[in-house]
Amino acid sequence: MLAPDSHGASWNISLKEIQYLASLTNMARKQYDTDPARTYIFGHSNGGAMTIAMTALKSGDFAATSLHAGSFNVDDLTPHLANMRAGMPITFITGNQDALFPLSQVRATAEALRLAGAKVKQYEIAPHNHWYYDIAGFINELAWKEMS
């Protein structure tokens, strides 16, 4: 398991950060002989946005991805969706009261990925906001079930 944290308060969602995560994945793959068919990403909040970016740009490196509380600006994401492998599984787990990642933004992001050929699943939890930690066990179990 790789569990990187951002360099600062949150991920920058830049090409530099994406390359950093891709290099960590490649290093682990070489050092531990990991299989991309058994490699997954999960992210929360800005880590969820990074998960979306990695899904679009590096989908060949992962079997599936999942996120809690994340979205991406569709205009910024769309030009990169041609890089995503067809049928790439991604699961969105979102609180219906998340002020940082409103459902309308999450739904728009999920729809852009779906239109680009991703296999998208969405779970909207009610009542739930952005706070992962109180229901982390439930979120983790759901994410793992969908990714494996």
Side-chain angles (χ1 to χ4, degrees):
M1 175 191 302
L2 294 176
D5 205 350
S6 64
H7 294 292
S10 64
W11 290 105
N12 189 14
I13 319 297
S14 66
L15 186 56
K16 180 181 176 183
E17 297 282 355
I18 292 166
Q19 289 171 335
Y20 166 72
L21 287 177
S23 70
L24 281 178
T25 304
N26 290 336
M27 181 184 67
R29 185 165 292 125
K30 289 175 185 172
Q31 187 169 350
Y32 300 105
D33 193 30
T34 62
D35 178 1
R38 297 183 65 207
T39 304
Y40 308 91
I41 296 179
F42 174 83
H44 163 70
S45 193
N46 246 19
M50 180 59 82
T51 296
I52 295 164
M54 293 293 286
T55 300
L57 294 169
K58 299 291 183 180
S59 61
D61 292 344
F62 306 99
T65 61
S66 184
L67 62 123
H68 171 258
S71 65
F72 212 94
N73 180 308
V74 174
D75 292 336
D76 292 340
L77 180 64
T78 301
H80 303 288
L81 292 176
N83 298 314
M84 185 179 63
R85 87 169 189 265
M88 177 64 186
I90 181 168
T91 302
F92 288 79
I93 304 167
T94 309
N96 68 334
Q97 299 169 354
D98 191 329
L100 296 175
F101 294 96
L103 280 176
S104 60
Q105 290 177 3
V106 174
R107 289 172 180 159
T109 303
E111 184 62 15
L113 287 160
R114 185 179 287 110
L115 289 173
K119 181 182 171 188
V120 177
K121 289 203 177 178
Q122 291 175 262
Y123 293 91
E124 296 175 3
I125 304 167
H128 179 59
N129 56 25
H130 188 75
W131 194 248
Y132 163 83
Y133 306 97
D134 287 343
I135 61 169
F138 171 77
I139 293 167
N140 295 345
E141 186 176 317
L142 180 58
W144 183 244
K145 179 186 96 159
E146 291 299 337
M147 288 191 294
S148 58

